Amino acid sequence: MSASINLICCNFSYVPQNSSKFKTLIRARNLSQQSPVLSKRTSNSSVFLKPNNRIALVSPFQQKGVLKICQSSLNTQNSEEEAGQDKGLSVDNGKEGRDWTTSILLFVLWGALMYYVFNLSPNQTPGDDGFRMNEVLVSQWYIMGLWPLVYSMLLLPTGRSSKNNIPAWPFLVLSFFGGVYALLPYFVLWSPLPPPVDENELEKWPLNFLESKLTAGMALAAGIGLIIYAGLANADIWREFFQYFRESKFIHIMSLDFTLLSAFAPFWVYNDMTARKWYDKGFWLLPLSLLPILGPALYLVLRPSLSDLPVTVSKTTSE
């Protein structure tokens, strides 16, 4: 191993070639290169093989006042390699763990969705007898009012974005009027992981309302009632609803909104579940979250409170 390196790499300003000490030094160096045992012993005891180590030697044959620094050539190579590795490591650590591919695909989906809504969706006015409302349509209308509440409970605080400091609440407020069409831009800009939650923040509005089991229970009860109300409708009422879906622009857009909100809910249930360190116990709720409004609402009732999770909630101390 030592035969491929130079133990000492020095250029003295003046060394007499007929010096006995100089010849002794050369013979010692050649002996260490030829003998593996001596080379190994030297590597354990010599300071020249230690990484990033320099030693100052003053030759007795040098001119007075001249000081030379000797360094192993192996040390120089190791130092350069380690510096390169440290530099690469710092670059890797500086990268954000954000999936830009997902953000781009969501942005493309949002753009295509908005183009479809304004240009390709049906725009007819179906006939109506004017005496009664379609039960399925009424149920869907009220469920669309529950979805923003459910998403607010899933996104605040565990769905907040920590790296770009974009607040979630403006998009959630707009979702009461625009549904998924207002939430998709936030999904594009969102990046994990959520910032820590202050313990005092859980006692204030709106987190005290969104973390309440009473709020989650009311959302679940309302969802069950509306689903049962639509499920009891007869076949003629369902055929009439599908006619509205094919012909009415408003009902077509609202039904598409309902479908997309149901499709995105399982991801945010999983995100909230992992943020609360509850995946091992609550993983069975993920398949149920595919059920429109009922699955996510059931999860909100059963999930643990953030106040019971000291890992997620940070306490503030006053000086």
Side-chain angles (χ1 to χ4, degrees), residues 44-89:
N44 294 331
S45 59
S46 175
V47 294
F48 293 108
L49 291 182
K50 295 181 180 179
N52 302 327
N53 190 18
R54 294 172 179 265
I55 184 169
L57 296 179
V58 180
S59 173
F61 306 103
Q62 286 182 302
Q63 296 178 357
K64 185 177 181 180
V66 178
L67 182 67
K68 293 295 179 180
I69 304 299
C70 298
Q71 183 183 15
S72 171
S73 60
L74 178 61
N75 295 339
T76 306
Q77 296 175 0
N78 291 342
S79 300
E80 293 176 354
E81 293 176 358
E82 291 175 358
Q85 292 176 358
D86 294 340
K87 183 178 180 181
L89 183 60

Side-chain angles (χ1 to χ4, degrees), residues 300-314:
L300 294 174
V301 172
L302 300 178
R303 69 179 181 178
S305 176
L306 280 177
S307 58
D308 299 332
L309 303 174
V311 177
T312 306
V313 181
S314 61

Side-chain angles (χ1 to χ4, degrees), residues 16-315:
Q17 298 297 325
N18 57 356
S19 173
S20 60
K21 292 185 178 181
F22 178 79
K23 294 180 180 180
T24 303
L25 178 61
I26 295 300
R27 286 197 300 269
R29 179 191 173 194
N30 295 334
L31 182 60
S32 64
Q33 292 180 352
Q34 296 174 1
S35 176
V37 178
L38 181 58
S39 174
K40 182 177 180 181
R41 185 179 302 173
T42 306
S43 63
N44 294 331
S45 59
S46 175
V47 294
F48 293 108
L49 291 182
K50 295 181 180 179
N52 302 327
N53 190 18
R54 294 172 179 265
I55 184 169
L57 296 179
V58 180
S59 173
F61 306 103
Q62 286 182 302
Q63 296 178 357
K64 185 177 181 180
V66 178
L67 182 67
K68 293 295 179 180
I69 304 299
C70 298
Q71 183 183 15
S72 171
S73 60
L74 178 61
N75 295 339
T76 306
Q77 296 175 0
N78 291 342
S79 300
E80 293 176 354
E81 293 176 358
E82 291 175 358
Q85 292 176 358
D86 294 340
K87 183 178 180 181
L89 183 60
S90 62
V91 172
D92 293 337
N93 292 336
K95 292 181 180 179
E96 295 182 356
R98 182 171 181 174
D99 189 358
W100 286 102
T101 303
T102 303
S103 298
I104 293 174
L105 291 177
L106 286 174
F107 179 77
V108 172
L109 173 64
W110 180 72
L113 188 62
M114 298 306 295
Y115 179 82
Y116 176 82
V117 165
F118 287 105
N119 297 282
L120 301 178
S121 59
N123 192 16
Q124 301 179 18
T125 303
D128 191 1
D129 54 15
F131 292 99
R132 66 174 180 83
M133 289 292 295
N134 184 280
E135 285 86 346
V136 179
L137 182 58
V138 172
S139 178
Q140 186 187 46
W141 171 262
Y142 285 108
I143 288 177
M144 294 307 298
L146 286 177
W147 269 125
L149 175 62
V150 171
Y151 267 86
S152 297
M153 299 177 73
L154 290 175
L155 293 177
L156 295 177
T158 57
R160 296 188 297 185
S161 185
S162 60
K163 295 184 179 179
N164 47 27
N165 296 324
I166 296 178
W169 67 265
F171 300 91
L172 292 170
V173 172
L174 292 175
S175 68
F176 282 91
F177 308 96
V180 75
Y181 309 106
L183 285 176
L184 269 174
Y186 179 75
F187 296 168
V188 173
L189 300 173
W190 174 79
S191 59
L193 295 166
V197 183
D198 188 3
E199 188 177 16
N200 296 328
E201 190 178 359
L202 295 175
E203 303 174 358
K204 300 178 181 178
W205 175 267
L207 290 188
N208 58 352
F209 174 76
L210 298 177
E211 286 287 319
S212 172
K213 296 299 181 182
L214 178 62
T215 305
M218 292 176 61
L220 178 60
I224 293 175
L226 292 171
I227 293 295
I228 293 176
Y229 181 72
L232 294 177
N234 57 40
D236 293 335
I237 293 175
W238 278 97
R239 280 193 294 267
E240 183 183 37
F241 171 76
F242 285 117
Q243 181 184 0
Y244 286 143
F245 175 77
R246 292 191 302 266
E247 299 177 2
S248 174
K249 188 180 188 69
F250 176 76
I251 296 175
H252 186 89
I253 294 174
M254 182 176 63
S255 301
L256 186 59
D257 186 8
F258 175 86
T259 303
L260 290 174
L261 287 173
S262 302
F264 281 110
F267 169 78
W268 293 107
V269 168
Y270 172 77
N271 178 75
D272 186 80
M273 186 182 299
T274 53
R276 295 171 188 265
K277 315 296 183 184
W278 200 57
Y279 179 78
D280 293 337
K281 295 182 178 180
F283 70 94
W284 60 274
L285 288 170
L286 282 178
L288 294 179
S289 64
L290 294 171
L291 297 175
I293 204 66
L294 297 182
L298 178 63
Y299 165 76
L300 294 174
V301 172
L302 300 178
R303 69 179 181 178
S305 176
L306 280 177
S307 58
D308 299 332
L309 303 174
V311 177
T312 306
V313 181
S314 61
K315 298 181 178 180

